[in-house]
Amino acid sequence: MVYIRNWKLGILNLVVKLGILAFILIKTIWYDCAHLPEFPANGFARLSMLHPVDDCDPYDPTCHARFQTVDKLPYCTQFAGDPFMAGQSQDDWRPSVKSDAASMKRLKSMFEHDVTRPAEPKKRRMAAAKRNATEGLFPPIGTLFTEARVCKYFDHIRLTWQPKIANSFFIPTRYQRITQKLNPDCYDPAVHGVKGDDGSSDRFYCSKAYTTTEREDYYVADIENFKLTFLHQFESTSTGLHGNQLMYRGFLGKCDTNHPKDIYSDCEIFPVPNSVGEVAPEDEAIAGNSSQFPSMTQDDEGADTISVLDLLRATPLATQHNLTNVLDAILPEDMELGARTLREAGGTLILSIDYSNVGKKRPGLPWTIMQYLPGPLKDVFEPFNSPIKPITYTYRPYFLPAYRFRDIVSTRPPTYPKERIVEEWHGIQVNVLFHGKLVAFDFNELLAVLTTSLALLAFSVLMVDMFACHNPFSSLAPKYKTLKFQPSEDFTNFLLLHSHFDPKGPSANPRTNELRSTTPSSDLLLTKLDDKGKVIDDIAQEELVKLLNFYEMRLNRLDAMDVNCSFQDACERDPRNCNANQFIHEFVQKNIKPDTKELVELRLEGRIAPSPPPRSAKVLPE
């Protein structure tokens, strides 16, 4: 190993390694907590709905409903004011919007489905909507655009006709009751008195089984003030954690995008009133005022409740466009509703429930050295010993594009099959998803992070070496490069001479000549000594200069004291290099086989490439 004595490179090397060490310990382990593996938190939720009542049990005979009367609901035809929307006329949108009745009817007809006529293809209706938006007929986003209809009161029992499904719930907003009569011109082998009994040739023909005789269309009155109730549980098999909302603190997240990277930094969070459990101080510090959602609370039985209106106001759709009434407003084009509103057509709402204890600056290391530190140092290093965050759960509602959402239920009156009643419900389908992540300390994961980070320390050595050896602005770069990468001799000469060399000496093998070594310096010194190591001849002045010059080259390749004399690039402009090359040239010419002398001369003169070594060449023992 080579130690380079340069304080600038030493400081650079120290700064780089300290920076990498700080990155590993502070950024990776302390701040990002990358050593804590994340595991999914799966769960189940049960949703229910309750119509507005006094603070009482809805099944108590003395409990009364608190519906907003239909004469105060602007989307109802019974509304005492402007029957369209709270006194707003279409002229309030913008001057370019046409407000005549014919234009209004034509725009609405593009999106209404009439069972008495074939449905127009969806793509054609959407294209017509875009065309009318260009012409100024389409109202801007946020315009209250629900077409007034008759409103009817329904309690929560009437609106939960279907079996409850885990993680799913339907909120009806519009009800259509369609009475249909059996078509006597349709073949039915189970019914007498219809086509097929007459024995005609077309008795098996059927154009439609039932024909519509009556159609009633209502809005569910005051659905926005119905209370939604959430009960949910979670488990994480990898961490062994489990529980329900009774055990932890709850929050409602109000985001401006459907998929935030971090709900605590990218969204506003509001605590669920009356929910219990520990909460991290940093989360409590950023929590907003829950009074923005006055209906949100946790009841005496531990269930979280919120009104439909408040839940929809927390969606990114409402946040982006500052909507306070999502049910009756024109929504963006990517929602695919066109000129219809959610109250009219329905939609799909995702309710993400995230159980999580993931947080920054929470390494959760199981050991501590805090007890051995003096008082002032404890205050300094206390943040580096923070435990894993307490578990909390967060509601995050957001919409998915949907042309409409409806549920169709067929009932059988006493006159069935002569008659039937079809109930078509439009509304918001709520699907619950669990996206939470839970972390737990794992020593193997910590070891993996530290082991992986060691590669960065190796990279720091490489970076400093590259800077030292290849810095074009440093005059020391050639010295550093020679010290780091020691240049070797040209092994072509060695392999050519090796076939003539006997390590036991010239007298051991009479077939060889007087070659004593494969280097000219050693061979010259050996010629001045006998077999017993006694000096038998003096070194001439010329020979001494050649030896000193040759050793100067070799030493400079070791310690780089004079890189110009290391002759790594065979620079012929230096007379010392010429002398060294001549010394080697004469040595090779003297000891090479006669039939290869010309080959060696051409190679030394640089006119041909070095020839491969003979197959009989042997490697000298070390």
Side-chain angles (χ1 to χ4, degrees):
M1 181 177 290
V2 178
Y3 293 95
I4 297 178
R5 299 172 62 184
N6 186 299
W7 67 272
K8 294 181 180 179
L9 283 181
I11 291 179
L12 175 63
N13 184 47
L14 183 63
V15 169
V16 171
K17 288 185 176 179
L18 288 178
I20 291 177
L21 189 63
F23 175 80
I24 295 171
L25 297 179
I26 298 178
K27 178 65 169 60
T28 304
I29 295 180
W30 174 70
Y31 186 81
D32 290 336
C33 303
H35 63 289
L36 300 178
E38 296 183 359
F39 301 98
N42 301 315
F44 299 92
R46 183 166 60 88
L47 282 70
S48 59
M49 187 168 59
L50 176 65
H51 62 273
V53 295
D54 290 327
D55 189 12
C56 56
D57 183 357
Y59 301 104
D60 190 330
T62 62
C63 186
H64 299 285
R66 297 182 60 186
F67 286 111
Q68 185 87 323
T69 57
V70 294
D71 62 333
K72 297 180 181 179
L73 299 176
Y75 50 85
C76 302
T77 56
Q78 301 99 319
F79 182 50
D82 189 331
F84 185 62
M85 278 304 301
Q88 293 191 29
S89 67
Q90 297 177 56
D91 294 328
D92 295 329
W93 303 334
R94 61 186 180 204
S96 60
V97 176
K98 301 177 182 179
S99 59
D100 56 278
S103 298
M104 177 67 179
K105 184 177 181 180
R106 181 165 61 89
L107 180 60
K108 284 291 183 180
S109 66
M110 295 176 187
F111 304 95
E112 280 298 328
H113 173 61
D114 188 353
V115 297
T116 61
R117 62 179 177 85
E120 191 176 5
K122 173 188 170 185
K123 288 185 178 180
R124 189 179 302 172
R125 289 196 298 270
M126 297 305 296
K130 293 179 180 180
R131 184 169 58 253
N132 282 279
T134 305
E135 296 174 357
L137 179 60
F138 200 83
I141 297 174
T143 301
L144 301 179
F145 200 68
T146 297
E147 184 178 0
R149 286 181 172 83
V150 177
C151 290
K152 186 175 180 179
Y153 296 113
F154 297 89
D155 64 5
H156 68 285
I157 300 298
R158 180 67 178 89
L159 298 181
T160 53
W161 65 91
Q162 58 183 359
K164 293 183 179 179
I165 303 175
N167 298 342
S168 180
F169 192 76
F170 183 64
I171 305 174
T173 59
R174 179 182 172 190
Y175 168 65
Q176 291 179 301
R177 188 176 187 275
I178 305 170
T179 304
Q180 293 185 322
K181 181 179 178 182
L182 184 67
N183 185 7
D185 293 330
C186 182
Y187 171 74
D188 190 340
V191 180
H192 296 288
V194 299
K195 192 169 186 177
D197 290 342
D198 55 3
S200 60
S201 58
D202 61 343
R203 63 184 182 275
F204 299 123
Y205 176 76
C206 181
S207 60
K208 59 173 64 177
Y210 284 84
T211 58
T212 299
T213 59
E214 184 181 3
R215 186 187 191 97
E216 302 173 42
D217 198 351
Y218 305 98
Y219 284 139
V220 178
D222 205 23
I223 187 63
E224 57 272 11
N225 288 318
F226 276 54
K227 290 268 183 88
L228 298 174
T229 303
F230 309 125
L231 292 169
H232 43 84
Q233 309 84 32
F234 82 96
E235 68 168 352
S236 176
T237 56
S238 300
T239 61
L241 299 172
H242 56 84
N244 56 42
Q245 84 271 13
L246 292 173
M247 305 165 57
Y248 304 105
R249 189 73 175 272
F251 293 90
L252 174 65
K254 183 180 179 183
C255 309
D256 57 5
T257 178
N258 284 2
H259 304 289
K261 292 183 178 180
D262 183 6
I263 192 171
Y264 293 99
S265 60
D266 299 341
C267 308
E268 296 181 77
I269 59 172
F270 303 89
V272 177
N274 301 327
S275 62
V276 296
E278 293 184 63
V279 60
E282 58 268 27
D283 293 343
E284 195 166 20
I286 64 174
N289 191 345
S290 300
S291 61
Q292 295 189 33
F293 303 94
S295 64
M296 181 174 62
T297 188
Q298 189 173 97
D299 60 22
D300 296 337
E301 297 180 355
D304 296 335
T305 63
I306 190 172
S307 69
V308 174
L309 177 65
D310 283 345
L311 182 66
L312 299 185
R313 286 176 51 235
T315 60
L317 192 66
T319 304
Q320 292 172 4
H321 302 284
N322 196 25
L323 302 179
T324 57
N325 185 352
V326 181
L327 284 175
D328 299 306
I330 287 291
L331 300 182
E333 182 181 324
D334 56 7
M335 285 293 293
E336 298 189 359
L337 291 175
R340 301 168 304 167
T341 63
L342 283 173
R343 192 185 299 275
E344 294 174 297
T348 301
L349 180 74
I350 302 297
L351 181 62
S352 175
I353 303 179
D354 303 340
Y355 279 90
S356 175
N357 62 351
V358 179
K360 304 289 187 181
K361 307 177 186 178
R362 294 278 186 162
L365 299 176
W367 60 85
T368 178
I369 61 172
M370 301 298 294
Q371 55 183 337
Y372 304 107
L373 296 177
L377 288 180
K378 283 186 179 181
D379 297 335
V380 175
F381 289 97
E382 184 64 31
F384 297 92
N385 197 49
S386 300
I388 296 176
K389 277 179 58 174
I391 298 176
T392 57
Y393 64 90
T394 306
Y395 298 106
R396 184 171 57 86
Y398 60 93
F399 280 103
L400 291 181
Y403 172 65
R404 66 181 172 194
F405 197 95
R406 62 178 179 177
D407 196 0
I408 299 177
V409 181
S410 177
T411 59
R412 298 183 177 184
T415 57
Y416 184 83
K418 296 290 186 180
E419 287 184 334
R420 70 178 181 186
I421 297 175
V422 178
E423 294 181 334
E424 183 176 309
W425 298 86
H426 292 259
I428 299 174
Q429 176 67 26
V430 181
N431 295 318
V432 179
L433 299 179
F434 285 81
H435 289 148
K437 298 288 184 181
L438 296 174
V439 298
F441 179 81
D442 188 339
F443 181 78
N444 292 330
E445 192 71 19
L446 175 62
L447 185 62
V449 171
L450 292 175
T451 304
T452 305
S453 301
L454 291 178
L456 293 176
L457 291 177
F459 174 75
S460 70
V461 176
L462 176 62
M463 186 175 67
V464 174
D465 286 347
M466 294 291 292
F467 178 80
C469 298
H470 302 283
N471 184 6
F473 304 103
S474 175
S475 59
L476 296 175
K479 279 182 171 286
Y480 298 145
K481 185 176 181 182
T482 301
L483 289 171
K484 181 68 179 178
F485 308 101
Q486 179 182 332
S488 69
E489 63 171 308
D490 185 350
F491 289 103
T492 304
N493 290 334
F494 169 79
L495 293 173
L496 290 174
L497 293 169
H498 182 64
S499 60
H500 296 72
F501 175 72
D502 192 332
K504 295 181 180 181
S507 61
N509 189 353
R511 292 178 298 175
T512 62
N513 58 11
E514 297 181 355
L515 179 64
R516 293 173 175 80
S517 175
T518 56
T519 60
S521 57
S522 297
D523 186 75
L524 177 60
L525 292 175
L526 288 173
T527 60
K528 306 302 179 181
L529 303 173
D530 61 9
D531 294 339
K532 295 181 180 180
K534 293 183 179 181
V535 178
I536 59 175
D537 194 8
D538 295 332
I539 297 178
Q541 182 178 1
E542 182 180 351
E543 292 175 336
L544 180 60
V545 172
K546 290 181 179 179
L547 281 175
L548 292 176
N549 187 49
F550 190 75
Y551 277 111
E552 176 73 5
M553 177 187 69
R554 292 178 61 184
L555 289 174
N556 281 305
R557 292 189 177 187
L558 290 175
D559 58 19
M561 293 295 290
D562 184 3
V563 292
N564 295 323
C565 193
S566 63
F567 305 135
Q568 301 178 39
D569 301 326
C571 178
E572 297 293 345
R573 293 176 296 177
D574 195 316
R576 294 173 299 180
N577 187 23
C578 296
N579 180 268
N581 280 340
Q582 185 64 28
F583 187 33
I584 299 172
H585 175 73
E586 292 174 353
F587 173 71
V588 174
Q589 287 284 32
K590 175 183 175 182
N591 295 285
I592 204 68
K593 287 182 180 181
D595 56 347
T596 58
K597 283 185 178 181
E598 182 178 1
L599 179 63
V600 175
E601 290 177 355
L602 293 174
R603 189 196 63 77
L604 291 175
E605 294 173 4
R607 287 186 285 171
I608 63 172
S611 60
R615 295 184 179 179
S616 61
K618 298 180 180 179
V619 179
L620 283 175
E622 297 183 358

